[in-house]
Amino acid sequence: MTDVLEELRWRGLIAQHTDIDALSEALNSGPITFYCGFDPTGPSLHHGHLVAVKVMRHLQMAGHKPLVLVGGATGLVGDPRAKGERTLNERETVAQWVESLRAQLESLLDFDGDNAARTVNNFDWTEEMSAIDFLRDLGKHFRMGTMLSKDIVARRLNSDEGISYTEFSYQILQANDYLELYRRYGCTLEIGGNDQWGNLVGGMDLIHKVEGASVHVLTNPLITKSDGTKFGKTEGGAVWLNPQMLSPYKFYQFWLNTSDDDVVTMLKVFTFRSREEIEELTTAVQERAFAREAQKALAEDVTTWVHGAEATERVKQASAVLFGQANPAILDEQTLADAVAELPCADVALGTALTDALVDLGLEKGKGAARRTISSGGVYINNEKVADEERVIDESDVLAGGVVLVRKGRKNLNVLRVQS
């Protein structure tokens, strides 16, 4: 057993906890079973969920046994949030999201070996509970004063919208999850985001009241940038793990664009690189930031963890193509489409003069200027320099998906879409 708590602390992955000495003793005395819950509030996890999964993976690598709870029941109810009441989704929709999240989570942890992860669904035990069971067996252990004092509940009660009994009762359902997993699997540690602290403690207290046992709670912090703002979101929205919702290329670019001020923190939080490796990358940031070695390591590691090595290699090739360092013909249609999706573009037909294409793309104001740029060696088609002023777009230029890359100088990359 390694001192996993010290590792988590060094990486900045611990926010709040119950008796840390007792937890440390339990973790170092032998394998324990722990869990983290994920509610299906959408069809995909996002990068923020990776923080809790990262804590789970560290605990698993230290020899402990993870339970991955997908909230088929709690997802039907909705965890209270600051912005107001959640919209209740259809049962069929939530069931589909449960399966989507299950598949994503099962790709992020190890489900083989002596301490293999196990996936559970709280719908399995919650659907069997009657209203009388809920009130007699669970509700009697909760005090209204404690429930009302929880920060998110108090804020909602003081808002114009208030809070429904449905969302108010969520904390009881989550507490019961911990009790059920304690009974079924001997689970003695629940982990989760710091915003879930009150719910996690509620489960710990319920186990103590019902079973007379002492268990543990540990939360990870909200990851922020050096300026204190939340770390996340692309220009198009959330950093989804589902490749249909955010392409691996855009996912890779999100991490690659991490600032020098934040990249070392993100390496600690989101990668499994050793202290020595991260120290070397810290030096690289300080001494040769222009090379962006740390950002490349971060982007490669997280993309490989989420999408696999093959997808990562494709997006690295796409990046090389866009920087004029590789032949775009090596890219498959989807990767190329993802890579050029946000570049300026124009529609052309085969046989269009390159001078006209340059004008259509807005790279030149007229044919004369276009000819001068071509003759001076400033124009490239698919990363190959063009010298012929009479050059036309022909079939040999067309890449997968009907696109042609046209570059003026080093940085002005545009796309021609050939119309059939």
Side-chain angles (χ1 to χ4, degrees), residues 179-193:
L179 176 61
E180 284 291 336
L181 295 178
Y182 172 82
R183 288 170 168 170
R184 294 174 183 228
Y185 304 104
C187 179
T188 55
L189 170 64
E190 181 180 4
I191 66 173

Side-chain angles (χ1 to χ4, degrees), residues 125-300:
W125 54 81
T126 308
E127 69 168 335
E128 300 171 353
M129 187 187 305
S130 69
I132 293 298
D133 293 336
F134 177 80
L135 293 172
R136 283 179 57 86
D137 299 339
L138 294 179
K140 67 179 180 180
H141 296 293
F142 291 80
R143 295 294 174 263
M144 288 296 294
T146 302
M147 296 176 72
L148 290 168
S149 67
K150 291 187 175 179
D151 181 59
I152 191 66
V153 173
R155 276 188 283 166
R156 285 283 297 278
L157 284 172
N158 290 324
S159 68
D160 292 337
E161 188 172 1
I163 185 171
S164 69
Y165 179 75
T166 299
E167 290 196 2
F168 180 67
S169 302
Y170 179 95
Q171 56 189 294
I172 300 179
L173 291 180
Q174 183 170 334
N176 185 53
D177 289 343
Y178 199 174
L179 176 61
E180 284 291 336
L181 295 178
Y182 172 82
R183 288 170 168 170
R184 294 174 183 228
Y185 304 104
C187 179
T188 55
L189 170 64
E190 181 180 4
I191 66 173
N194 203 36
D195 60 338
Q196 291 292 309
W197 172 256
N199 289 339
L200 272 62
V201 170
M204 180 189 70
D205 290 342
L206 179 63
I207 291 172
H208 183 72
K209 290 174 182 176
V210 174
E211 300 290 342
S214 295
V215 293
H216 311 283
V217 164
L218 179 73
T219 65
N220 54 261
L222 174 69
I223 304 303
T224 57
K225 297 188 289 187
S226 57
D227 62 5
T229 60
K230 187 175 179 180
F231 177 73
K233 296 205 174 179
T234 64
E235 291 183 4
V239 187
W240 300 110
L241 307 192
N242 185 325
Q244 276 72 54
M245 298 174 68
L246 183 73
S247 73
Y249 179 81
K250 290 182 179 179
F251 186 84
Y252 179 90
Q253 293 297 320
F254 167 78
W255 300 100
L256 190 63
N257 289 329
T258 303
S259 72
D260 292 340
D261 292 335
D262 297 319
V263 68
V264 174
T265 296
M266 302 314 158
L267 282 165
K268 291 179 179 179
V269 171
F270 291 101
T271 78
F272 295 93
R273 297 204 173 220
S274 67
R275 297 190 187 203
E276 293 73 21
E277 289 175 307
I278 291 176
E279 286 170 2
E280 289 176 2
L281 290 168
T282 301
T283 301
V285 172
Q286 296 168 346
E287 297 181 354
R288 48 185 184 277
F290 63 89
R292 300 187 68 77
E293 294 172 47
Q295 283 87 347
K296 291 174 183 176
L298 175 66
E300 181 170 351

Side-chain angles (χ1 to χ4, degrees), residues 385-402:
K385 185 179 291 188
V386 177
D388 183 3
E389 298 175 21
E390 304 303 321
R391 181 75 151 79
V392 298
I393 304 301
D394 61 36
E395 192 170 348
S396 65
D397 298 321
V398 183
L399 302 170

